[in-house]
């Protein structure tokens, strides 16, 4: 494989489609969210590995909101693409849609962002190619990832157990469904 120092987001594109079977359903007859998360993880792995040319592992998953339920017998399609790259990390955006085979009606079921890390033969993080940004959509996605990473790091510092001062936050909890007994 020829190493390219920069790649376009579409070089990481993965489209995974699977028929939803009764064995994928939960007690209410809808497709189990855990099964969908497993498919999303596979799509993220495939996209990040395709982009980096390396084995990749999941480092974190951003928020996943299930917008619409998925029915047994529907086709589910995962569209995954690298939106951001760091040194060894990548953020893969995933869109999940279901389609009723009989009516052709499609539903957006959820979207999420998986942080993936490329690994070398010894399990250490390894440099990934840079990302070519050639349109506003790619720029927006890249900047959104930067903002999310920055906010996550700020939240981590602010609420670190060693730095946390409960007295400072008591007023912030007014109006919430809590009873403070500290």
């Amino acid at each position: 494989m020829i190493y390219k120092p920069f790649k376009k987001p579409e070089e990481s594109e993965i489209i995974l489609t699977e028929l939803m079977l009764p064995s994928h359903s939960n007690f209410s007859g809808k497709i189990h969210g855990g099964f969908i998360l497993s498919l999303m993880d596979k799509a993220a792995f495939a996209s990040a590995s395709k982009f980096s040319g390396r084995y990749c592992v999941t480092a974190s998953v951003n928020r996943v909101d299930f917008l619409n339920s998925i029915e047994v017998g529907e086709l589910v399609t995962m569209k995954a693409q690298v939106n951001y790259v760091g040194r060894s990390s990548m953020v893969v955006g995933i869109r999940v849609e279901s389609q009723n085979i009989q009516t052709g009606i499609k539903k957006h079921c959820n979207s999420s962002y998986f942080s993936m890390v490329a690994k070398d033969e010894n399990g250490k993080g390894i440099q990934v190619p840079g990302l070519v940004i050639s349109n506003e959509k790619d720029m927006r996605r890249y900047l959104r990832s930067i903002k999310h990473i920055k906010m996550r790091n700020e939240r981590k510092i602010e609420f670190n157990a060693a730095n946390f001062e409960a007295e400072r936050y008591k007023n912030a909890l007014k109006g919430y469904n809590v009873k403070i007994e500290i």
Side-chain angles (χ1 to χ4, degrees), residues 88-118:
S88 63
S89 66
M90 294 155 281
V91 173
V92 177
I94 303 171
R95 181 181 173 92
V96 180
E97 294 178 344
S98 68
Q99 181 179 14
N100 182 300
I101 294 171
Q102 295 174 324
T103 65
I105 295 173
K106 292 181 181 180
K107 298 181 290 189
H108 177 209
C109 299
N110 67 43
S111 295
S112 188
Y113 305 92
F114 282 55
S115 294
M116 308 296 290
V117 178

Side-chain angles (χ1 to χ4, degrees), residues 149-171:
I149 291 165
K150 182 180 178 189
M151 289 170 54
R152 180 181 64 207
N153 290 337
E154 288 171 357
R155 193 171 46 248
K156 190 176 182 181
I157 291 166
E158 182 178 0
F159 294 102
N160 179 298
N163 301 331
F164 188 74
E165 299 171 15
E167 197 59 42
R168 215 174 115 201
Y169 291 93
K170 282 184 178 179
N171 285 336

Side-chain angles (χ1 to χ4, degrees), residues 28-88:
S28 67
K30 308 296 183 192
I31 300 305
H32 196 285
F35 181 72
I36 298 301
L37 285 170
S38 174
L39 290 177
M40 292 172 76
D41 193 48
K42 287 178 188 178
F45 168 83
S47 177
S49 295
K50 182 179 179 182
F51 183 83
S52 67
R54 296 294 186 156
Y55 177 79
C56 296
V57 297
T58 306
S60 69
V61 179
N62 192 358
R63 179 180 173 140
V64 179
D65 292 321
F66 293 95
L67 306 173
N68 289 295
S69 61
I70 301 170
E71 307 291 333
V72 170
E74 290 185 327
L75 287 176
V76 168
T77 300
M78 314 267 166
K79 296 176 182 177
Q81 179 177 293
V82 170
N83 291 343
Y84 166 89
V85 297
R87 192 192 79 72
S88 63

Side-chain angles (χ1 to χ4, degrees), residues 169-178 180:
Y169 291 93
K170 282 184 178 179
N171 285 336
L173 295 175
K174 286 184 179 174
Y176 288 91
N177 190 18
V178 297
I180 300 172

